[in-house]
Amino acid sequence: MITFHDVSKIYRIGGVEVRALDRASMQIEEGEFVSIVGPSGSGKSTMMNIIGCLDMADEGTYTLDGQAIEAYSESELARIRNKKIGFIFQSFNLIGTMTAAENIELPLIYQGVPKNERKERVTEALSKVRLEGRGAHRPNELSGGQQQRVAIARAIATCPSLFLADEPTGNLDSKTGDEIMNLFHELHGQGNTIVLITHDDSVARQAKRSIHILDGQVKEVEA
């Protein structure tokens, strides 16, 4: 599903070349639950942005579902981000003036999903994250864990082929973080592909496989 071959991302800061990714190679198969783990500044966020088609590599090849990303147009990349990838962020990225249900529904509006189907998907997604009855609440009326559940529900509702989670437990206490990880295990059990970016080894170990990154280089892949 995902293949990196000698992928590099290069920034120039004050005349100095910084390789956020340095000839990184890795492969993730459909249906896998994989963590990408490394300390702050290791390059994992850069890798996530490239996987999520939010940024492009400067060197090397990123292939998604058998096609090199460079072959896609901007409009095709936007469609991939909207339909193929379910993003889940550390900071939740919910719109404060909208209810939980409205936050979940918003990407479906962009997808052009009919209203009746949108309502069904929102209800089903709220049920999957066990937030029935919370759809009318705004983010400031929900706990951090509940906000992350809404963010996961928003991703679920779009029916993506890939869930891409960036430090999804980073702003949560350990108990709530465990509850969120249990949701990811449930999603994986349903056949979904999950890529989880984290600096936390204990979180990374919960994936079926961990890809370790340091100084922009993939150091090892552990089963």
Side-chain angles (χ1 to χ4, degrees), residues 50-202:
I50 293 174
I51 292 173
C53 302
L54 299 169
D55 202 355
M56 300 290 281
D58 292 318
E59 298 172 355
T61 305
Y62 168 32
T63 304
L64 179 64
D65 289 341
Q67 185 168 342
I69 284 298
E70 297 79 26
Y72 291 96
S73 68
E74 278 300 321
S75 60
E76 287 173 330
L77 288 173
R79 188 166 64 250
I80 288 169
R81 289 191 294 266
N82 198 23
K83 291 191 173 183
K84 190 182 287 283
I85 303 171
F87 292 95
I88 300 157
F89 297 99
Q90 177 178 355
S91 56
F92 319 135
N93 285 18
L94 301 176
I95 298 173
T97 56
M98 289 183 164
T99 65
E102 289 167 343
N103 270 282
I104 296 167
E105 184 181 17
L106 187 60
L108 303 181
I109 294 172
Y110 292 142
Q111 286 185 1
V113 177
K115 186 174 183 180
N116 288 344
E117 185 180 345
R118 293 201 307 264
K119 298 300 182 187
E120 289 174 6
R121 287 206 207 175
V122 169
T123 299
E124 183 179 353
L126 282 168
S127 176
K128 283 186 175 179
V129 299
R130 293 180 282 283
L131 281 180
E132 303 95 329
R134 295 281 184 171
H137 289 67
R138 287 184 167 78
N140 64 1
E141 299 170 322
L142 300 171
S143 68
Q146 289 171 334
Q147 289 183 63
Q148 190 60 290
R149 286 173 184 269
V150 172
I152 294 171
R154 179 179 56 194
I156 289 171
T158 64
C159 303
S161 57
L162 168 66
F163 287 89
L164 187 55
D166 184 20
E167 301 279 8
T169 62
N171 284 339
L172 307 174
D173 61 64
S174 59
K175 179 177 181 295
T176 307
D178 288 342
E179 293 170 355
I180 295 301
M181 288 305 300
N182 286 337
L183 281 177
F184 284 115
H185 287 298
E186 289 175 16
L187 288 170
H188 179 240
Q190 294 161 12
N192 293 291
T193 307
I194 298 172
V195 177
L196 189 152
I197 289 86
T198 183
H199 70 279
D200 188 331
D201 286 332
S202 65

Side-chain angles (χ1 to χ4, degrees), residues 1-7 24-36 47 51 61-66 193-195 209-211 218 220-222:
M1 184 180 196
I2 293 169
T3 302
F4 272 35
H5 180 70
D6 287 344
V7 168
S25 295
M26 59 110 180
Q27 188 162 331
I28 297 171
E29 301 294 340
E30 186 174 353
E32 276 199 287
F33 183 0
V34 175
S35 62
I36 296 173
M47 182 177 279
I51 292 173
T61 305
Y62 168 32
T63 304
L64 179 64
D65 289 341
T193 307
I194 298 172
V195 177
R209 182 162 66 96
S210 293
I211 295 171
V218 174
E220 58 182 295
V221 179
E222 293 184 350

